[in-house]
Amino acid sequence: MSVGNGTAGTSPLPLTNSVPVERGDAARNRALLLDAARLLVAERGAEAVTMDDVAAAAGVGKGTLFRRFGSRAGLMLVLLDEDEKIQQQAFMFGPPPFGPGAPPLERLLAYGRERLQFVWDHRALLSDATRDPQTRFNSPATLHRTHVRSLLAAADTSGDLDAQADALVALLDADYVTHRFVDLGRSLREQGDAWESVARKLCGQ
Amino acid sequence: MSVGNGTAGTSPLPLTNSVPVERGDAARNRALLLDAARLLVAERGAEAVTMDDVAAAAGVGKGTLFRRFGSRAGLMLVLLDEDEKIQQQAFMFGPPPFGPGAPPLERLLAYGRERLQFVWDHRALLSDATRDPQTRFNSPATLHRTHVRSLLAAADTSGDLDAQADALVALLDADYVTHRFVDLGRSLREQGDAWESVARKLCGQ
């Protein structure tokens, strides 16, 4: 995951955000700010959290916050990215049935429920981050489609696996999940059941 | 389809755009402008068409164009809306297999191919119009999901029909179709095959 830490000689591109050695207090500061932001987002929802709130909660000046993350959008993206990485670790290397070690269909169903909860918890951040079609369908969304596709393949699913994976992932889109919850009154549990119904069917069950 | 043409007494809501009797030359003018715009969009793609282009092609002043449609976005929405209505007429009342009279699965497959072509032809307009999640999942998208759902039901499809209809419709999203075409090199024909594969599978074939 490290992006050229100085050992590979000259870098072909200037890495504007690369910090070869992050000073201890800077790293602590960063973690402190992210923890404060995460807590506020969990309490109030991302849309209600300002940079002033985060700075005050972390007990630092707003200048420090902006120097570190550039903008409110930048801070929110880092927050989302960190949580995405934690979830990716869990489905790639964590305990079954979300992680490896369970039968493919069981893993797929666990993925659907876990991802639905993640999407709901991060709906405002994900909705903003995927407003641009370039990010909606390219990295990091690619990782989720690849994961679902590989589980469909492992479950010996027939037919066009790309399209089936995309269809399943589409049902976990933040705006779609929010629409079903808010406009149609479908709980997360009901949405999980619906996702499971489609997943089982595609896997021939 | 008519929205209270004066015969039903007082209207409960002010219909701001209602024009009880459109003067003949105004109606002709409107049709002329829309035809000019439609031709230019077909030739160059919506993103390359300006209001100056449309006014020049129709041989009217730009002021007339703005008075009629409010803005470039307004003109584009009317254009999309008119074409949507033509396609809706076709799948609701037109000849089979797109319209009624063919077995449900045949109609569903015809719908997938026809809609894919429509989405591709209108990708720029649809992408703009559905950037807001409120329009992406609510009317007029509802009509398409209802149509697909009713064909799944008519084909005696098992399981959660709402989720299956939504999954099928998601594969016809303008940004998704464009992503597959542009980024992944998947032709419309290949995308139609992929859609058919998922549709057949959901219908138990």
Side-chain angles (χ1 to χ4, degrees):
Chain A
M1 290 291 179
S2 89
V3 186
N5 233 346
T7 54
T10 54
S11 170
L13 284 174
L15 300 174
T16 49
N17 283 324
S18 85
V19 180
V21 179
E22 187 164 52
R23 286 196 356 259
D25 56 344
R28 272 192 301 276
N29 221 349
R30 182 175 190 275
L32 195 74
L33 290 168
L34 285 174
D35 283 349
R38 186 177 283 111
L39 199 67
L40 288 170
V41 166
E43 277 174 14
R44 311 179 186 173
E47 60 283 1
V49 176
T50 68
M51 290 296 260
D52 280 316
D53 296 336
V54 176
V60 305
K62 208 162 76 164
T64 307
L65 192 57
F66 275 100
R67 261 197 308 284
R68 182 45 102 162
F69 299 104
S71 65
R72 185 181 175 284
L75 168 65
M76 293 300 175
L77 270 182
V78 170
L79 215 55
L80 178 60
D81 188 55
E82 296 222 333
D83 287 356
E84 284 280 12
K85 277 184 186 140
I86 291 167
Q87 195 181 48
Q88 288 162 20
Q89 285 288 321
F91 70 67
M92 292 196 301
F93 309 111
F98 194 35
L105 178 59
E106 263 185 57
R107 285 192 69 196
L108 186 62
L109 300 182
Y111 171 84
R113 304 261 178 197
E114 292 278 349
R115 186 64 187 165
L116 196 54
Q117 188 63 54
F118 182 97
V119 164
W120 179 252
D121 292 340
H122 297 78
R123 60 194 179 279
L125 298 178
L126 282 166
S127 180
D128 282 351
T130 56
R131 193 57 43 88
D132 178 350
Q134 279 303 317
T135 49
R136 193 162 133 228
F137 294 111
N138 291 306
S139 173
T142 306
L143 186 80
H144 290 279
R145 279 139 72 202
T146 304
H147 180 62
V148 169
R149 192 193 187 288
S150 77
L151 292 176
L152 289 173
D156 289 327
T157 301
S158 63
D160 189 309
L161 298 190
D162 289 322
Q164 291 175 60
D166 290 348
L168 284 172
V169 168
L171 298 179
L172 302 171
D173 173 271
D175 291 327
Y176 173 72
V177 170
T178 305
H179 158 70
R180 291 195 100 193
F181 193 98
V182 175
D183 300 335
L184 307 181
R186 295 286 214 112
S187 68
L188 285 198
R189 168 148 200 168
E190 286 171 312
Q191 293 197 46
D193 292 344
W195 198 87
E196 175 165 340
S197 158
V198 180
R200 282 188 183 279
K201 201 158 179 186
L202 293 175
C203 289
Q205 294 230 343
Chain B
M1 289 296 178
S2 89
V3 186
N5 233 347
T7 54
T10 54
S11 170
L13 284 173
L15 300 173
T16 49
N17 284 323
S18 86
V19 180
V21 179
E22 187 165 50
R23 288 198 353 262
D25 54 345
R28 271 192 303 275
N29 221 348
R30 183 174 189 276
L32 196 74
L33 290 167
L34 285 174
D35 284 347
R38 187 177 281 113
L39 199 67
L40 288 170
V41 166
E43 277 174 14
R44 312 178 186 173
E47 59 283 1
V49 177
T50 67
M51 291 296 260
D52 280 316
D53 296 336
V54 177
V60 304
K62 209 163 74 166
T64 307
L65 193 56
F66 274 100
R67 261 195 309 282
R68 182 46 104 160
F69 299 104
S71 65
R72 185 181 173 283
L75 168 65
M76 293 299 175
L77 271 182
V78 170
L79 215 55
L80 178 61
D81 188 54
E82 296 224 330
D83 287 356
E84 285 279 11
K85 277 182 185 142
I86 292 166
Q87 197 182 45
Q88 288 163 20
Q89 285 288 321
F91 68 67
M92 291 195 301
F93 309 110
F98 193 35
L105 178 59
E106 263 186 57
R107 285 192 71 195
L108 186 63
L109 300 182
Y111 171 84
R113 305 260 178 199
E114 292 279 347
R115 185 66 187 163
L116 197 55
Q117 187 65 54
F118 182 97
V119 165
W120 179 251
D121 292 340
H122 297 77
R123 60 192 178 281
L125 297 178
L126 282 165
S127 179
D128 282 350
T130 57
R131 191 60 41 88
D132 178 351
Q134 278 304 316
T135 50
R136 194 163 132 227
F137 294 111
N138 292 304
S139 173
T142 306
L143 186 80
H144 290 279
R145 278 140 70 202
T146 304
H147 181 61
V148 168
R149 192 194 186 288
S150 78
L151 291 176
L152 289 172
D156 289 328
T157 299
S158 62
D160 189 308
L161 299 190
D162 289 322
Q164 292 175 60
D166 290 348
L168 285 171
V169 167
L171 298 179
L172 302 171
D173 173 90
D175 291 328
Y176 174 72
V177 169
T178 305
H179 159 69
R180 290 194 101 193
F181 193 98
V182 174
D183 300 336
L184 307 179
R186 294 285 213 112
S187 68
L188 285 197
R189 166 148 202 166
E190 288 171 312
Q191 294 196 46
D193 292 345
W195 200 86
E196 175 166 340
S197 159
V198 180
R200 283 189 181 278
K201 200 159 180 186
L202 293 175
C203 289
Q205 295 233 341

